[in-house]
């Protein structure tokens, strides 16, 4: 079978049967472009594949049971099984706008130079929705994009394989580490300025999507800093920490500040000893000092560079 026999491969790790995964796969099968759907079942006993045998009986669908429960390992397995020109990593509880998705795929297949294709998305939690219509068009845009989300891109498969880009296994935030490994290779960008992806985050106890964004951004920057081996890019992220994150941290209620500290502590434990760990520790200590301040910023005082546009 030729290596690029279809336009795009959708890689979907799933750890439990659900109605949403059925609807997601049904939607993807409606695309008129050539697609491959790679479903990696990470449930302990293969319940996802077993419960969907009739829906998965299609030549466009590849299934793999991998009872590790680790989404990073599952996505790597999906990438090895993929044959599409483009790769899309999709969470099993999210959705895609099929018409916009098809148009973006066609545009991406006509652009032989692009190695990463960005597009708009929205985040839904309960009754609250935030639209993100700004699409990164170059590396600088991507570095300061908010949120730092790997599912807001299609990736050229050959680019991932040639650069040996994979997800780390066994850590929290493996998707952010993967994204910044990609960005550190300085890929060529293309942008499709329509909303394609709908992300539905699991509840974290945050009072709203907007509040939780400020918990996520510093954590993502920490993971990105740890993952990056490029001194120039790491310097940019350190600058971002110093100039833009303070207001975000101070906007968090105390409960969420402690959540952030616990998360960062866990991340730091995964860094090998050496210069990089010392730099990361220094940056995180500065963040913790900020978290201990009692002042709370009002919404209007949050830095504009980290607030997405909304319609």
């Amino acid at each position: 079978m030729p290596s690029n026999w279809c336009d795009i491969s959708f890689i979907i790790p799933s750890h439990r049967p659900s109605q949403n995964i059925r609807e997601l796969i049904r939607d993807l099968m409606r695309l008129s472009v050539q697609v491959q759907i790679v479903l990696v079942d990470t449930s302990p006993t293969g319940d996802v594949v077993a419960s969907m045998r009739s829906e998965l009986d299609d030549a466009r669908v590849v299934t793999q049971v991998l009872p590790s429960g680790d989404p990073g390992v599952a996505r790597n397995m999906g990438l090895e099984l993929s044959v599409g020109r483009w790769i899309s990593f999709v969470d099993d509880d999210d959705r895609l706008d099929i018409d916009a998705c098809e148009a973006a795929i066609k545009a991406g297949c006509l652009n032989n130079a692009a190695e990463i294709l960005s597009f708009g998305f929205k985040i839904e939690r309960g009754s609250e929705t935030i639209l993100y219509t700004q699409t990164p068009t170059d590396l600088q845009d991507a570095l300061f994009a908010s949120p730092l989300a790997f599912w807001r891109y299609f990736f050229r498969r050959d680019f991932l394989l040639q650069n040996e880009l994979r997800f780390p296994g066994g850590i929290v935030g493996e998707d952010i580490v993967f994204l910044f490994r990609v960005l550190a290779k300085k890929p060529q960008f293309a942008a499709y300025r329509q909303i394609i992806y709908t992300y539905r985050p699991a509840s974290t106890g945050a009072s709203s999507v907007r509040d939780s964004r400020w918990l996520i951004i510093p954590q993502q920057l920490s993971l990105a800093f740890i993952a990056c081996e490029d001194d120039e890019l790491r310097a940019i992220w350190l600058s971002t920490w110093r100039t833009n994150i303070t207001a975000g941290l101070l906007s968090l209620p105390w409960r969420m500040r402690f959540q952030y500290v616990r998360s960062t502590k866990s991340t730091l434990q995964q860094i090998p000893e050496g210069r990089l760990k010392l730099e990361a520790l220094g940056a995180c200590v500065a963040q913790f000092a900020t978290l201990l301040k009692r002042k709370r910023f009002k919404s209007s005082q949050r830095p504009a560079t980290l607030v997405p546009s909304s319609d």
Side-chain angles (χ1 to χ4, degrees):
M1 183 178 291
S3 61
N4 286 330
W5 71 274
C6 70
D7 296 317
I8 188 166
S9 294
F10 294 95
I11 297 173
I12 312 170
S14 183
H15 66 281
R16 65 181 184 277
S18 69
Q19 182 61 30
N20 193 78
I21 184 64
R22 289 185 169 87
E23 294 174 356
L24 173 61
I25 291 176
R26 193 178 303 131
D27 285 348
L28 295 176
M29 288 181 176
R30 288 172 39 214
L31 289 164
S32 65
V33 296
Q34 293 179 304
V35 304
Q36 178 196 36
I37 300 169
V38 183
L39 176 63
V40 183
D41 183 346
T42 61
S43 64
T45 57
D47 293 342
V48 179
V49 170
S51 68
M52 297 176 59
R53 293 199 182 280
S54 59
E55 293 97 328
L56 302 177
D57 185 17
D58 190 290
R60 295 168 292 178
V61 179
V62 175
T63 62
Q64 178 71 42
V65 177
L66 187 70
S68 70
D70 189 310
V73 175
R75 294 187 186 105
N76 291 338
M77 175 63 72
L79 183 57
E80 296 302 320
L81 296 171
S82 68
V83 294
R85 183 179 306 171
W86 289 92
I87 299 293
S88 173
F89 297 103
V90 185
D91 289 347
D92 65 353
D93 51 356
D94 296 340
R95 300 298 290 272
L96 289 89
D97 183 298
I98 295 304
D99 292 336
C101 183
E102 182 161 313
I105 295 168
K106 291 178 178 178
C109 290
L110 291 174
N111 188 332
N112 293 325
E115 295 163 323
I116 185 170
L117 175 66
S118 65
F119 45 80
F121 63 95
K122 59 184 175 181
I123 294 180
E124 290 182 352
R125 177 181 284 148
S127 60
E128 187 172 11
T129 300
I130 301 180
L131 305 181
Y132 294 76
T133 56
Q134 291 182 344
T135 52
T137 58
D138 56 28
L139 180 62
Q140 186 76 7
D141 285 348
L143 288 173
F144 292 97
S146 167
L148 302 169
F150 76 123
W151 33 256
R152 72 185 302 169
Y153 301 102
F154 294 154
F155 303 93
R156 179 85 63 173
R157 177 176 175 270
D158 288 346
F159 171 76
L160 298 181
L161 296 181
Q162 290 168 6
N163 289 283
E164 299 182 347
L165 293 165
R166 301 293 189 275
F167 291 83
I171 71 168
V172 176
E174 80 292 335
D175 52 337
I176 305 303
V177 175
F178 167 79
L179 177 58
F180 278 87
R181 287 176 175 172
V182 170
L183 295 180
K185 298 298 181 181
K186 300 179 176 63
Q188 294 295 313
F189 278 76
Y192 184 76
R193 301 183 183 280
Q194 298 292 330
I195 290 178
I196 292 179
Y197 200 97
T198 299
Y199 176 62
R200 297 167 173 171
S203 175
T204 61
S207 58
S208 71
V209 176
R210 294 182 185 275
D211 282 344
S212 64
R213 181 178 65 221
W214 292 103
L215 178 63
I216 292 169
I217 287 172
Q219 179 184 346
Q220 290 178 335
L221 287 169
S222 303
L223 289 164
F225 172 76
I226 292 162
C228 182
E229 298 176 356
D230 186 302
D231 288 338
E232 178 184 355
L233 296 185
R234 194 158 63 242
I236 293 174
W237 292 325
L238 281 171
S239 175
T240 303
W241 261 339
R242 297 186 184 105
T243 57
N244 287 342
I245 295 303
T246 299
L249 293 177
L250 293 179
S251 73
L252 296 175
W254 280 102
R255 174 177 53 82
M256 293 180 69
R257 298 189 195 189
F258 288 122
Q259 287 179 3
Y260 172 66
V261 170
R262 286 195 298 269
S263 176
T264 305
K265 180 181 178 182
S266 174
T267 302
L268 287 172
Q269 292 172 346
Q270 301 165 20
I271 312 174
E273 296 293 336
R275 178 179 63 86
L276 182 58
K277 184 159 190 168
L278 291 175
E279 291 183 15
L281 282 169
C284 290
V285 166
Q287 290 188 22
F288 294 162
T290 298
L291 285 168
L292 293 175
K293 295 179 181 179
R294 294 186 175 278
K295 185 178 179 181
R296 288 283 302 276
F297 275 62
K298 296 181 180 179
S299 176
S300 61
Q301 293 175 285
R302 296 176 179 179
T305 53
L306 290 180
V307 177
S309 64
S310 59
D311 293 345

